[in-house]
Amino acid sequence: MNVHYDFKFQDGRTVEFKVTDKPSRPSDSLPSWTKLEHCQCSNCPLKASESPHCPAATEILPVVEAFRDEDAYQKVEVKVTDDRRSYVKQTALEEALRSLLGLKMATSGCPVLSELKPMAVHHLPFANTDEFIMRSVSHYLLQQYFAKRNHQTPDWELKGLVERNQRLQLVNQALWQRIHSVCRGDSNLKALLNFFSMASSVSFSLESQLRKLEAKMGGEGA
């Protein structure tokens, strides 16, 4: 997986990021907020003796530092290119950052966020809530189909999907706390809050979200 994010600001500045399916190697000198025990997630399975720094914090560090002073609602042109196609959108910075941060977190090597890595391989930039729900549920149901084919018990009720997003929410909250003290602008913070909101739509209101999709697809709820 090779995904390029190219940001172009209205004043002519450009910023570029590349995301692969392999976590970045941490440098020798990292800020204190990336240490594992700094606002460590309550459900983190890692130990500081084995992993001194949080994998997700280390991975998003370049993005946080690049946009730490930026306003979330300023307009940018963003081009996202992978091995198959390109996407271009004029949008608010926070929407583009939500997409980029979500991708980097999923491929960071964090044991909890790694549950999203299979979805990251088929990354959809700028996905809205409906698209996030559709992709999350479809991907999870495909996993259950494969489980059934391999003589395992499938979860057609989506209970595991809800539980997964509850775990993701805890991580999002902790990451927000990590970067809150180092961001003078609100772009990174707004992006993580929106990512948190999408995870919440699965863990707290999945049934209502599914009914909305059912109506749009012409099902019984229409």
Side-chain angles (χ1 to χ4, degrees):
M1 184 184 74
N2 292 287
V3 182
H4 293 262
Y5 268 75
D6 296 299
F7 293 77
K8 185 176 181 180
F9 290 83
Q10 292 182 328
D11 61 7
R13 288 179 295 143
T14 60
V15 184
E16 178 183 349
F17 291 94
K18 179 181 178 181
V19 186
T20 71
D21 55 356
K22 296 181 180 179
S24 302
R25 292 183 178 180
S27 61
D28 294 331
S29 58
L30 293 172
S32 60
W33 64 267
T34 65
K35 291 183 177 179
L36 184 69
E37 295 178 328
H38 180 89
C39 296
Q40 186 173 1
C41 305
S42 59
N43 58 335
C44 178
L46 300 177
K47 297 180 180 179
S49 58
E50 301 169 353
S51 178
H53 292 87
C54 166
T58 302
E59 189 66 30
I60 68 173
L61 172 61
V63 180
V64 172
E65 291 188 333
F67 299 106
R68 64 192 301 172
D69 299 325
E70 300 293 344
D71 175 59
Y73 298 110
Q74 64 180 299
K75 295 298 181 181
V76 293
E77 179 180 290
V78 186
K79 182 177 181 180
V80 183
T81 307
D82 60 26
D83 294 330
R84 298 176 296 277
R85 60 187 66 88
S86 296
Y87 307 80
V88 179
K89 186 173 184 179
Q90 296 273 356
T91 187
L93 177 59
E94 61 89 11
E95 181 185 16
L97 278 181
R98 182 197 71 211
S99 187
L100 173 59
L101 287 170
L103 181 60
K104 288 187 76 67
M105 290 190 296
T107 56
S108 66
C110 164
V112 180
L113 291 169
S114 63
E115 294 185 82
L116 293 176
K117 189 172 181 179
M119 282 183 61
V121 175
H122 303 285
H123 180 55
L124 178 64
F126 321 118
N128 60 25
T129 299
D130 281 355
E131 290 167 330
F132 179 77
I133 294 291
M134 179 77 77
R135 294 180 71 240
S136 296
V137 172
S138 300
H139 185 270
Y140 186 79
L141 287 175
L142 184 58
Q143 288 179 317
Q144 303 317 302
Y145 169 73
F146 288 142
K148 187 176 188 300
R149 261 197 353 182
N150 288 288
H151 310 291
Q152 299 172 7
T153 303
D155 171 28
W156 302 126
E157 300 300 319
L158 306 179
K159 293 179 181 178
L161 179 61
V162 172
E163 292 170 355
R164 183 181 75 183
N165 279 273
Q166 289 173 339
R167 294 192 292 271
L168 296 176
Q169 282 180 260
L170 294 176
V171 175
N172 290 339
Q173 288 173 328
L175 283 173
W176 191 90
Q177 291 293 334
R178 281 181 182 274
I179 70 173
H180 181 265
S181 61
V182 298
C183 291
R184 289 182 287 272
D186 62 353
S187 58
N188 291 303
L189 301 174
K190 291 284 188 182
L192 280 179
L193 283 175
N194 283 336
F195 194 77
F196 171 78
S197 177
M198 283 190 168
S200 300
S201 68
V202 177
S203 57
F204 289 131
S205 58
L206 179 59
E207 181 58 32
S208 62
Q209 297 292 338
L210 289 175
R211 287 186 181 279
K212 290 179 184 178
L213 289 177
E214 183 181 23
K216 291 178 180 180
M217 297 174 71
E220 294 179 359

